[in-house]
Amino acid sequence: MLSRIEELKLIARCVTLDDHRAFARLVDAYSPALRRYIFNMTLGDASLTDDIAQNTFIKAYTSLKSFRCAARFSTWLYTIASRELADHRRRRSEMPSEDLSTAPDSVSDPHRSTELRHDLMEAMKTLNDNERAAILLYYLEDRPLKDVARITGRPEGSVKASIHRAKQKMSHFLIK
């Protein structure tokens, strides 16, 4: 992760000089964690992860002038990604012929398919989108509660409740 000062310098170069290399450095710095979040939110759909990550970075680049620096750049990226995920779910639910229960059964990457990882992925499938986002951002991405609330656009109390419900659901699933 970049320091706040490095981040702001790169953003300034992007906005003032239209410096594509500066934006590429931002992408390189934040892409792995953002892609991990999206991958987990899509329950292991690598193709959808690629699409949403690409759309997120395109939207970030095209609207970089609107970035207000009130939060970290990564928080802003996660917010854009969360909106992209919501837009995808909305578009998907508007398609009458598509079966909404077609989430992948397991992680396709053979290096990650340990028994525990598989069990956790299955437990994640029991969560709704708000619970899954809260758990992933808070525990996996190690984001403060305030950031999770900002990214998801929900009050902190609702995020805390989602985390609590998610932990209960996952523990019941894993104990069975």
Side-chain angles (χ1 to χ4, degrees):
M1 186 191 289
L2 301 170
S3 73
R4 180 88 166 149
I5 292 172
E6 290 173 306
E7 188 178 273
L8 293 173
K9 284 180 183 178
L10 290 171
I11 291 167
R13 290 185 61 81
C14 292
V15 171
T16 59
L17 303 173
D18 196 27
D19 186 342
H20 298 285
R21 285 184 285 198
F23 191 74
R25 286 198 50 215
L26 290 167
V27 170
D28 289 344
Y30 296 110
S31 183
L34 183 72
R35 291 179 58 77
R36 181 179 57 236
Y37 166 68
I38 295 168
F39 184 78
N40 285 306
M41 284 298 294
T42 61
L43 298 172
D45 187 333
S47 177
L48 183 56
T49 297
D50 291 341
D51 291 345
I52 291 176
Q54 182 177 13
N55 289 343
T56 297
F57 282 112
I58 288 170
K59 285 195 177 177
Y61 184 77
T62 59
S63 57
L64 198 54
K65 290 179 182 175
S66 69
F67 178 61
R68 299 286 174 236
C69 302
R72 294 290 306 251
F73 181 73
S74 60
T75 301
W76 189 61
L77 277 177
Y78 280 91
T79 303
I80 295 170
S82 293
R83 288 182 186 146
E84 285 295 308
L85 285 159
D87 287 348
H88 170 74
R89 284 189 297 273
R90 182 185 41 75
R91 286 190 305 270
R92 189 172 168 185
S93 69
E94 291 172 357
M95 297 175 69
S97 63
E98 189 170 345
D99 180 11
L100 296 178
S101 63
T102 58
D105 289 332
S106 63
V107 178
S108 59
D109 184 0
H111 301 290
R112 292 185 168 187
S113 60
T114 63
E115 188 174 320
L116 177 60
R117 189 169 294 277
H118 176 75
D119 289 346
L120 286 173
M121 187 63 85
E122 292 299 311
M124 293 294 282
K125 289 180 183 180
T126 66
L127 307 179
N128 68 37
D129 292 331
N130 288 331
E131 294 163 344
R132 190 176 314 116
I135 284 288
L136 290 171
L137 289 167
Y138 189 72
Y139 287 110
L140 186 64
E141 301 302 325
D142 200 27
R143 307 296 288 198
L145 194 60
K146 181 177 154 184
D147 282 358
V148 176
R150 184 178 292 150
I151 290 166
T152 59
R154 300 174 59 225
E156 283 186 38
S158 296
V159 171
K160 284 181 187 178
S162 291
I163 291 170
H164 179 73
R165 279 191 310 273
K167 287 176 11 183
Q168 285 181 327
K169 285 181 181 180
M170 290 178 74
S171 69
H172 289 313
F173 178 84
L174 294 169
I175 290 173
K176 297 197 265 187

